[in-house]
């Protein structure tokens, strides 16, 4: 008798943002960026950039989609921590970015990355942190439509 009551309570307490194993988040992050000349090693620019993104996280497929980009990025999960890595290695650009998101509220995020643009003699390093809040799927859909136009 107690089991159906507990299951019912768990179902009713599930967040609408996590329906169908999908989690929708609005993430606010502040990135510290340093751009350096690779020939002279002099800092060309140093700045902080605030960024807001709307994410759709598919917990079954293990994909993360930023509404602005529109394409999914695979991730791994260990100890309730998502880790997504994006690497580019071609003639023009070499980059390595790592994004981490705690799957427990307050959904803290960290990111760090490096990039080298050989043709411009530039390297970029970035380090950021922030937090996310749950949003409805409609927020993600709206930003996706705006990005397409």
């Amino acid at each position: 008798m107690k089991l159906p009551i507990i299951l019912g309570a768990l179902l009713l307490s599930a967040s609408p943002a996590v329906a169908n194993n999908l989690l929708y988040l609005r993430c606010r992050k502040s990135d510290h960026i340093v751009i350096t000349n690779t020939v002279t090693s002099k800092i060309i620019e140093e700045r902080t950039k605030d960024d807001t993104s709307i994410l759709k996280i598919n917990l079954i497929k293990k994909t993360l989609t930023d509404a602005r980009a529109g394409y999914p990025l695979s991730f791994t999960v260990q100890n309730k921590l998502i880790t997504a890595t994006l690497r580019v290695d071609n003639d023009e650009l070499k980059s390595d970015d790592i994004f981490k998101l705690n799957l427990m509220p307050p959904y803290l995020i960290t990111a760090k990355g490096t990039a080298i643009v050989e043709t411009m003699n530039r390297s970029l390093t970035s380090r950021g942190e922030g937090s996310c809040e749950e949003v409805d799927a409609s927020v993600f859909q709206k930003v996706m439509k705006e990005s397409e136009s």
Side-chain angles (χ1 to χ4, degrees):
M1 185 70 156
K2 289 184 180 182
L3 185 58
I5 294 171
I6 293 171
L7 288 175
L10 285 173
L11 288 173
L12 290 174
S13 68
S15 165
V18 190
N20 300 320
N21 294 304
L22 298 175
L23 177 63
Y24 295 91
L25 299 173
R26 175 183 292 116
C27 300
R28 292 181 174 91
K29 178 170 64 81
S30 184
D31 290 309
H32 180 75
I33 301 166
V34 178
I35 300 172
T36 308
N37 182 308
T38 56
V39 175
T40 64
S41 298
K42 289 186 179 179
I43 294 175
I44 297 168
E45 182 181 354
E46 187 170 1
R47 62 187 160 105
T48 300
K49 178 183 172 194
D50 293 327
D51 184 53
T52 300
S53 57
I54 308 297
L55 304 178
K56 172 183 169 183
I57 300 170
N58 186 318
L59 299 168
I60 298 296
K61 293 182 180 179
K62 293 189 175 152
T63 57
L64 176 148
T65 305
D66 184 326
R68 298 170 297 183
Y71 58 87
L73 178 63
S74 296
F75 65 79
T76 59
V77 180
Q78 187 173 11
N79 298 325
K80 298 183 182 176
L81 182 70
I82 286 178
T83 302
T85 304
L86 179 62
R87 288 189 173 95
V88 176
D89 189 358
N90 60 42
D91 292 340
E92 295 178 23
L93 175 68
K94 293 181 184 355
S95 71
D96 191 11
D97 297 304
I98 299 172
F99 172 86
K100 295 187 178 196
L101 168 69
N102 188 331
L103 280 175
M104 299 298 292
Y107 303 110
L108 299 176
I109 56 174
T110 60
K112 65 179 180 177
T114 59
I116 298 173
V117 184
E118 297 280 345
T119 57
M120 297 177 66
N121 296 326
R122 302 283 188 263
S123 70
L124 178 144
T125 58
S126 66
R127 187 175 288 290
E129 58 184 39
S131 62
C132 306
E133 62 187 1
E134 291 183 33
V135 295
D136 190 72
S138 63
V139 175
F140 179 84
Q141 301 298 339
K142 180 182 176 191
V143 174
M144 280 281 286
K145 287 180 184 173
E146 290 171 358
S147 296
E148 291 171 356
S149 41

